[in-house]
Amino acid sequence: MINLILFGSFFVMLFLNIPICVSLGMSSVFAMLFSGDKLSVVPTNVYNSMAKFLLLAIPFFVLSGNIMAKAGISTRLVQFIDDCIGHRRGGIAIVCVVVACFFGAISGSGPATVAALGIILIPAMINRGGFSAAFSSAMMATASSIAIVIPPSIAFVVYASITGVSVGDMFMGGILPGIMMGLALVIIIMIEVRRKGLPPSRERATWGERWKSFRTAFWGFLMPVIILGGIYGGIFTPTEAAAVSVVYGLIVGLFIYREVKIKDLYDLLVDSGKTTGGIMLIIGAASLFSYICTVHGISKAAQAVLLTVAGNKYIFLIIINVIFLIAGCFVDANSAMYIFIPIMYPVAQQLGINLVHFGVIATVNLAIGQVTPPVGVNLFVAIGVSDKLQNLKDKTKVTIETMSKAVWPMIIACVIALLLVTYIPFFSTVFLKTPV
């Protein structure tokens, strides 16, 4: 009966479009009231779930991403990558994928990447590249989902806080899978280019032009190098690296690019606080939900069922992929982590699956979930960006229906990359200090 109340009320509120943090928190409270548990554990549990030193990395990474976006790094990255590969057939769409990967390494957020780059790249793909409005918006949304796989990633920080795995190892584990997702999308672009017979959209840039654009984009490229190099080199912890990224972003924005003004800092702090607050509310509510599952034996029962049904790690990996892909259709990555990871990772350990490998699999699944209808958050951000655009060659209004049709080939390509990551651990463990 507790299971019915907990999960039933959660899904009812979810389908009523009640915010995910409220749905998780209220369903947990309903279950506690029914079972007679003391509600005094609610504030204690929620506070303890958020009061972790490791989670301090989240507000710092959010703030550094906002600072670098305000500093104009997105336009500089687009210009340099466009100078390098924009002359190829479908070049501007490939630029979209490559720049999304680099910007994702700065922001760590899929929706933030869509918002920062979509205003530049969606009209460029339509007007310059000859792609349809739906394809351009869907490609921007899907490429931006790689942001939570390419390090530094907020999703990896959340996973590490749940399992105790090294954040640095998680960051290193996400490099190749993120690149593989990008290559899968490039293949989709090449197929679309051949299908529509699209010609190159610009002349090849000279080496002088490339060097000029590289010099302006250099400081953006350097940020993930400092973060990952510092963590993996043992210079600072992931949380310290996040703080360093804020200081670095301020130096670049205020003194090198000079596009961030002192008066802008208040708005940047407020925006970052809002984003962080939303993430922390989800973490607190999802942690309470997970606590109810643990206290009432739901987690143990689910683990026993998984072990019985799976039998071996290969079947188990199929099952978790299906579960996470379905979950990604309805809940965000952070919520899914707190709901499912505490149940699944002990089973993964028993079956001999490396926890870094398991975390990367989960995160790639949830990255795909960001563009999976009906609740793919990146899709809705891309639609919002497209609605603001004017003077486009393709006047077709982008809706969730047209986006859903256009995005399926990209989802299939990313699922193929997911299967390679799932069954070939090398891709997620090759850069670890002790690879498996």
Side-chain angles (χ1 to χ4, degrees), residues 28-251:
S28 302
V29 170
F30 292 154
M32 292 176 73
L33 288 171
F34 177 81
S35 64
D37 292 342
K38 293 182 179 179
L39 292 182
S40 59
V41 304
V42 173
T44 304
N45 186 279
V46 170
Y47 173 78
N48 288 338
S49 68
M50 294 188 287
K52 295 179 180 178
F53 179 75
L54 183 59
L55 293 182
L56 273 176
I58 293 176
F60 284 125
F61 279 134
V62 170
L63 178 57
S64 67
N66 285 341
I67 291 170
M68 293 301 280
K70 182 68 176 179
I73 186 61
S74 54
T75 54
R76 291 171 170 84
L77 288 173
V78 169
Q79 184 60 56
F80 172 65
I81 303 299
D82 192 27
D83 284 346
C84 291
I85 59 177
H87 60 278
R88 299 180 180 275
R89 293 179 64 190
I92 189 60
I94 300 174
V95 169
C96 169
V97 174
V98 176
V99 174
C101 289
F102 276 111
F103 194 84
I106 294 170
S107 72
S109 165
T113 303
V114 179
L117 299 178
I119 199 74
I120 304 169
L121 287 168
I122 292 176
M125 283 189 277
I126 297 170
N127 294 337
R128 228 185 78 184
F131 296 97
S132 69
F135 180 91
S136 302
S137 300
M139 182 55 67
M140 185 73 258
T142 311
S144 298
S145 70
I146 303 173
I148 71 167
V149 181
I150 291 282
S153 161
I154 292 172
F156 284 156
V157 174
V158 171
Y159 176 84
S161 74
I162 297 170
T163 61
V165 174
S166 163
V167 176
D169 283 350
M170 290 305 305
F171 284 176
M172 299 308 290
I175 295 174
L176 270 185
I179 293 172
M180 290 166 65
M181 290 177 71
L183 290 175
L185 293 180
V186 170
I187 292 171
I188 295 298
I189 292 168
M190 293 293 96
I191 293 172
E192 181 73 3
V193 165
R194 288 179 177 272
R195 189 177 71 83
K196 297 187 71 172
L198 298 176
S201 58
R202 62 163 288 177
E203 297 292 325
R204 183 191 294 266
T206 65
W207 285 105
E209 290 171 329
R210 292 175 184 177
W211 172 246
K212 182 180 178 181
S213 59
F214 172 75
R215 283 188 302 169
T216 61
F218 170 76
W219 301 104
F221 288 126
L222 193 59
M223 187 172 184
V225 173
I226 291 173
I227 293 170
L228 294 180
I231 294 171
Y232 213 59
I235 300 172
F236 35 66
T237 68
T239 303
E240 292 166 347
V244 168
S245 72
V246 172
V247 176
Y248 176 80
L250 284 172
I251 292 171

Side-chain angles (χ1 to χ4, degrees), residues 177 270 276 318:
V270 170
T276 303
I318 292 174

